[in-house]
Amino acid sequence: MKKLINSPETVVADSLRGLAIAHRELSVDVGKRVVVRGDAPVPGKVGILSGGGSGHEPLHVGYVGRGMLDAACPGEIFTSPSPQQILEATRRVDGGRGVLHIVKNYTGDVMNFEMAGDLARARGIEVRAVTVGDDVANDGLTTAGRRGVGATVLVEKICGAAAERRWPLARVADLGNRVIANARSMGIALTSCTVPSARRPTFTLGEDEMEVGIGMHGETGRFRHKLVPAREVAAILLDRVLADMPLEPGEQVLAFVNGMGATPLMELYIVLDEVARLLDARGLTLQRTLTGTYMAALDMAGCSLTVLRLDEEMTSLWDAPVATPALTWGTV
Amino acid sequence: MKKLINSPETVVADSLRGLAIAHRELSVDVGKRVVVRGDAPVPGKVGILSGGGSGHEPLHVGYVGRGMLDAACPGEIFTSPSPQQILEATRRVDGGRGVLHIVKNYTGDVMNFEMAGDLARARGIEVRAVTVGDDVANDGLTTAGRRGVGATVLVEKICGAAAERRWPLARVADLGNRVIANARSMGIALTSCTVPSARRPTFTLGEDEMEVGIGMHGETGRFRHKLVPAREVAAILLDRVLADMPLEPGEQVLAFVNGMGATPLMELYIVLDEVARLLDARGLTLQRTLTGTYMAALDMAGCSLTVLRLDEEMTSLWDAPVATPALTWGTV
């Protein structure tokens, strides 16, 4: 295992201290594992909170800031945050209009966010949760249902913009569910990631193999496939995404090409170019894009594709200003 | 070789097409390999231009935009852009106040930028060049002198801000040289990169080894070292940087912890935390930071550290608004 760390036991605390130095505009509580906007709570604004295992950076800590998350709760590597941790964050970002929890669909995350929601409600904080499950690769593989992957970034951005516009909690939650209903993802890996405490790769692949349908924790996928050119990778991903969410010619989409941690930006642009060509051949309009390493699986090489069917309101909220460590545009 | 590409021969054109789709605010000429601001040339503003081999993304194409570069000229992978290509970009960004070329100190880059500068001057465009050579690792190893590495990003940001403030060309060039004189870098690799056309890693390292003093093209370094914890990596890099540029207690610095392409953000934050502790122990003030993959060596795992001695003017220009694909902050 080759990593720039001090020890597997301290990676989360060590990296949160670094995050605090890199982004002094955030309030980072390393002990309680809570990262909040420096100006939280914002009175009169719904608080937007997400969290989950560490190792996916910039998700979620890199999305704390104006126009996106009010707080993030990083767990240990690939491990859910605790209910107490989520409760603490919920309390810190409650501006009197309630708090939305954006939860990825994994058993531990769902359970701990539910417990935290109950604890917060018992303290008089209104809490709603939306559960992201966009991975078309793992249908029927687990009883928990579809995993939450790339769409999480889009839900966080769009709900964050709505909260910034002072939408009420129920409306922000409904919007989150609408984004989730209109988003699908699938990923491939060229290499496994290595979890620091495990000290060895989660799985192994031959020099001419790729794993199709991987999750964001180094879960193996649906099948192995000979390594093929980027245009065929794009076709494999897009075909499965659109088989699950058929779109009519003329519909508008956002395509999100995400790097899994060790894939150069240049390769992601190549995949985007192929995705754009395939969408065009289907008569779909590529209205917006996001390309980069926005939700990693530690040091995995590979990519995921998320397609979001856009409507005018979602597009407007996507375009709204955002100022976070990992996503910034517009005048905030 | 495991890469998301179509073929080694088409990576640059394929990725530039993807860049154009991802960033419609840029004007990307895939055929001529020139990327310019959508509003170029900006009348009355010095044009800021950089370029060099591809494979370092987001450098340089990701820094084209308001407050930073007016144009970038990407060459083939790790290969200098041609004089014609640089001339073409120079003409496209000349707003009547001249053009600054920011050149990394490699033989081919320096030669081709010099030829392009002569060609541009012959066409009546005022051109100045600054040459970045900040890598303390390769002193005396080559006749060309120190390689330009991480400081390039800082020179581009700071000179870009000065040009946005309508400084004249000579003053922007002097500023660039001041940044260069006050910046030093050094890097380590945990793995080699793989150049697509070579199809195999440039060098090999044992499972318990790191290479100290690497360049940004997979050049091997000064020595091999046992893989050590992040805090010792930080000490190795900082000691050599500050041995070359001694600083007095109380001086203010910017620390730039850069990922080489395949290193997770989490690990870069861990290194930053250690660098901050070491700077503090020396009585230096960590005034600004930059942490992320801003200048890659394809898929190399590892990091580089750049230290810039700040003065008030440089800090103000660093803080000035910027809006590019890879670096954005403030109101632009």
Side-chain angles (χ1 to χ4, degrees), chain A residues 2 4 6 190 206 209 267, chain B residues 2 4 190 206 209 267 274:
Chain A
K2 306 188 84 166
L4 290 167
N6 289 316
L190 302 186
E209 285 181 320
E267 298 182 25
Chain B
K2 306 187 85 167
L4 290 167
L190 304 186
E209 285 181 320
E267 298 181 27
E274 299 299 337

Side-chain angles (χ1 to χ4, degrees), chain B:
Chain B
M1 178 178 70
K2 306 187 85 167
K3 289 184 187 293
L4 290 167
I5 63 174
N6 290 317
S7 82
E9 292 70 36
T10 62
V11 287
V12 176
D14 290 352
S15 70
L16 285 177
R17 279 199 311 275
L19 175 77
I21 294 163
H23 295 286
R24 292 175 191 169
E25 72 276 15
L26 302 178
S27 169
V28 179
D29 188 328
V30 177
K32 291 192 170 155
R33 305 281 167 95
V34 167
V35 178
V36 302
R37 277 170 64 155
D39 60 351
V42 182
K45 192 184 89 65
V46 167
I48 307 288
L49 185 158
S50 193
S54 293
H56 306 298
E57 291 69 29
L59 188 85
H60 301 271
V61 292
Y63 301 128
V64 176
R66 282 173 296 170
M68 208 159 167
L69 297 182
D70 291 84
C73 309
E76 285 298 308
I77 300 279
F78 296 170
T79 302
S80 306
S82 71
Q84 287 69 28
Q85 190 183 348
I86 302 165
L87 173 64
E88 177 69 28
T90 303
R91 295 172 71 162
R92 291 197 196 184
V93 301
D94 175 36
R97 300 285 302 281
V99 177
L100 181 72
H101 289 178
I102 298 174
V103 187
K104 298 193 300 302
N105 190 32
Y106 300 95
T107 307
D109 285 31
V110 170
M111 189 173 69
N112 289 357
F113 270 97
E114 276 179 3
M115 285 176 62
D118 288 343
L119 293 168
R121 280 181 213 102
R123 283 160 179 76
I125 303 172
E126 199 187 354
V127 172
R128 288 279 303 268
V130 296
T131 305
V132 186
D134 54 314
D135 188 349
V136 303
N138 80 321
D139 251 1
L141 289 184
T142 66
T143 51
R146 287 189 173 177
R147 303 178 289 220
V149 287
T152 314
V153 179
L154 313 182
V155 174
E156 292 178 1
K157 168 67 184 82
I158 291 171
C159 288
E164 213 69 53
R165 290 183 183 171
R166 301 298 187 269
W167 287 24
L169 179 59
R171 192 171 167 212
V172 180
D174 288 348
L175 170 72
N177 285 323
R178 196 165 96 230
V179 175
I180 292 164
N182 286 284
R184 299 289 189 282
S185 299
M186 182 134 171
I188 61 109
L190 304 186
T191 67
S192 172
C193 57
T194 299
V195 177
S197 60
R199 296 169 194 271
R200 62 175 60 86
T202 308
F203 59 89
T204 53
L205 278 170
E207 256 311 297
D208 61 341
E209 285 181 320
M210 62 181 190
E211 183 82 29
V212 179
I214 47 95
M216 68 193 283
H217 306 98
E219 305 96 324
T220 50
R222 295 303 296 268
F223 55 90
R224 292 210 171 169
H225 197 288
K226 190 167 70 73
L227 185 58
V228 289
R231 70 173 58 90
E232 292 174 50
V233 171
I236 288 170
L237 296 177
L238 189 66
D239 283 353
R240 279 158 182 79
V241 160
L242 293 183
D244 198 87
M245 180 176 68
L247 298 177
E248 296 299 319
E251 289 201 272
Q252 305 201 327
V253 299
L254 180 154
F256 170 26
V257 176
N258 174 59
M260 300 307 293
T263 293
L265 188 53
M266 168 178 259
E267 298 181 27
L268 302 177
Y269 284 137
I270 293 173
V271 173
L272 174 67
D273 179 51
E274 299 299 337
V275 167
R277 200 184 323 278
L278 293 166
L279 289 169
D280 190 59
R282 288 171 181 259
L284 297 166
T285 302
L286 181 54
Q287 195 68 21
R288 295 291 183 274
T289 61
L290 183 67
T291 309
T293 300
Y294 289 102
M295 186 208 65
L298 288 169
D299 53 352
M300 179 183 280
C303 73
S304 64
L305 170 68
T306 301
V307 174
L308 170 64
R309 178 183 5 215
L310 287 168
D311 56 36
E312 271 184 37
E313 191 169 63
M314 276 193 237
T315 305
S316 157
L317 292 162
W318 178 257
D319 291 345
V322 59
T324 71
L327 211 64
T328 294
W329 58 66
T331 303
V332 181

